[in-house]
Amino acid sequence: MDLRIFTEPQQGATYDDQLRLARTAEDSGFGAFFRSDHFVAMGREGLPGPTDSWVTLGALARETSTIRLGTLVTSVTFRHPALLGVSVAQVDQMSGGRVELGLGAGWFEAEHAAYGVPFPDARGRFDLLEDALEIITGMWATPEGERFNHEGKVVTVKDSPALPKPVQQPRPPIVMGGGGKKRTPALAARFADEFNMAFPTMEATVAQFARVDDACRAVGREPSELLRSVALVACVGRDDAEVRRRADAIGRDVDELRASGLAGTPAEVVERLGQWREETGAEQYYLQMLDIGDLGHTELVAAEVVPQLG
């Protein structure tokens, strides 16, 4: 069972805040640091405002050495697909091959309006996502010296040099997810290396993983080739008082977090993770650390939860 650190900088975090958490995660032995890709806070407004995910990850690539870096997830509406492919390949080079691309159709209309970004309807966003996956994977796979072309439903690429190339071969891992019942599993079966469910119930996770299994079989892919993961809010404390303090700091109710996330003492969280693994089969867990300045939280999980997972 693999635990990863995941944070939401749009809620109020500078680049330096993210750097401190990424370095703490790396020093504590976590294998990956992921961040959301949003431009408007949800709930309480956070200062100084949003930071761009791929600018941030490019900088972190040069200021960390072993931890993997990625987005959960980049909205396909924010960046032109071909240019996103360039950015991710460059950050993969800058990190020495430690990048993962989480990519989705997007859902938060308000942040698009706030920055003048077009927000197509659901069908239009999924058409764009399909084109993006075709273009990004196609560009990365095109041999040096050859050209890449794609005529899609939304985006056409003509005579592209398809450069630069990522370090990882055949490509950086692609993470997809969501609860859509048809196109989401179908696209994941064709393009993803990992399928993620974010803040779900166990029942919804089991049902969606089954749809992904069926979609894999429909395209002749072995379902076990697709890693399964879950993102859950973390709120861990040595005792009930520390758990409550951490819940209060992020404006959440302890009982609600115990039911829907990973809240409690280290022993309770280990037991909860075991339940998730047994019920869903998910192998990888993203711990959403909402209080980005609470570095001791990450250190506590590393010291007292991870060693019990085997």
Side-chain angles (χ1 to χ4, degrees):
M1 187 183 296
D2 180 39
L3 301 189
R4 297 179 149 196
I5 297 300
F6 167 50
T7 193
E8 304 267 4
Q10 79 278 356
Q11 298 303 109
T14 65
Y15 168 73
D16 287 336
D17 293 329
Q18 295 169 73
L19 174 60
R20 281 189 287 270
L21 182 56
R23 283 179 167 167
T24 297
E26 183 173 73
D27 292 345
S28 298
F30 287 98
F33 173 85
F34 271 58
R35 58 154 290 163
S36 60
D37 191 1
H38 286 296
F39 290 97
V40 169
M42 297 158 207
R44 295 179 297 181
E45 288 295 331
L47 297 175
T51 51
D52 183 271
S53 63
W54 287 101
V55 172
T56 298
L57 294 175
L60 293 178
R62 308 302 291 179
E63 298 197 75
T64 59
S65 57
T66 60
I67 199 163
R68 296 188 68 78
L69 304 166
T71 51
L72 198 66
V73 296
T74 286
S75 173
V76 74
T77 55
F78 289 158
R79 301 166 186 87
H80 189 283
L83 299 183
L84 176 61
V86 169
S87 296
V88 177
Q90 181 177 351
V91 177
D92 197 52
Q93 289 184 357
M94 294 166 70
S95 69
R98 293 185 283 125
V99 159
E100 303 185 16
L101 171 61
L103 190 63
W107 62 271
F108 193 17
E109 185 172 5
E111 66 186 333
H112 292 73
Y115 290 93
V117 178
F119 187 73
D121 61 16
R123 180 174 181 176
R125 298 197 308 278
F126 272 92
D127 286 346
L128 179 59
L129 177 60
E130 184 171 0
D131 276 352
L133 291 162
E134 293 274 14
I135 290 166
I136 292 169
T137 59
M139 287 175 60
W140 288 347
T142 299
E144 290 186 8
E146 297 187 14
R147 299 280 168 157
F148 173 76
N149 294 277
H150 173 77
E151 186 171 345
K153 296 176 181 177
V154 181
V155 181
T156 294
V157 173
K158 183 176 180 181
D159 201 27
S160 171
L163 297 171
K165 301 300 181 194
V167 170
Q168 296 177 85
Q169 292 299 320
R171 67 180 191 213
I174 292 176
V175 182
M176 298 181 65
K181 295 182 179 180
K182 294 183 179 180
R183 291 189 77 176
T184 295
L187 289 175
R190 290 174 57 198
F191 295 103
D193 300 285
E194 175 183 335
F195 190 85
N196 177 266
M197 289 289 284
F199 320 114
T201 64
M202 288 188 191
E203 293 76 14
T205 301
V206 170
Q208 188 68 341
F209 284 175
R211 294 183 192 103
V212 172
D213 287 348
D214 290 342
C216 285
R217 295 187 189 100
V219 295
R221 183 178 183 184
E222 175 57 46
S224 62
E225 295 177 4
L226 191 54
L227 180 69
R228 311 304 165 93
S229 67
V230 174
L232 297 166
V233 182
C235 184
V236 188
R238 292 175 180 85
D239 53 34
D240 287 347
E242 190 169 66
V243 173
R244 185 167 299 280
R245 176 177 64 79
R246 289 199 160 109
D248 289 343
I250 60 174
R252 300 288 289 271
D253 178 76
V254 172
D255 291 337
E256 179 267 322
L257 287 175
R258 287 183 190 275
S260 66
L262 297 173
T265 63
E268 290 175 311
V269 169
V270 169
E271 181 179 2
R272 187 65 169 161
L273 283 166
Q275 293 170 351
W276 270 95
R277 178 63 186 270
E278 183 177 353
E279 292 293 324
T280 70
E283 306 155 79
Q284 195 158 266
Y285 294 84
Y286 292 83
L287 308 186
Q288 187 193 45
M289 299 295 196
L290 289 172
D291 186 354
I292 198 167
D294 185 0
L295 303 181
H297 195 190
T298 294
E299 292 170 336
L300 174 64
V301 173
E304 299 193 26
V305 174
V306 173
Q308 299 187 59
L309 297 177

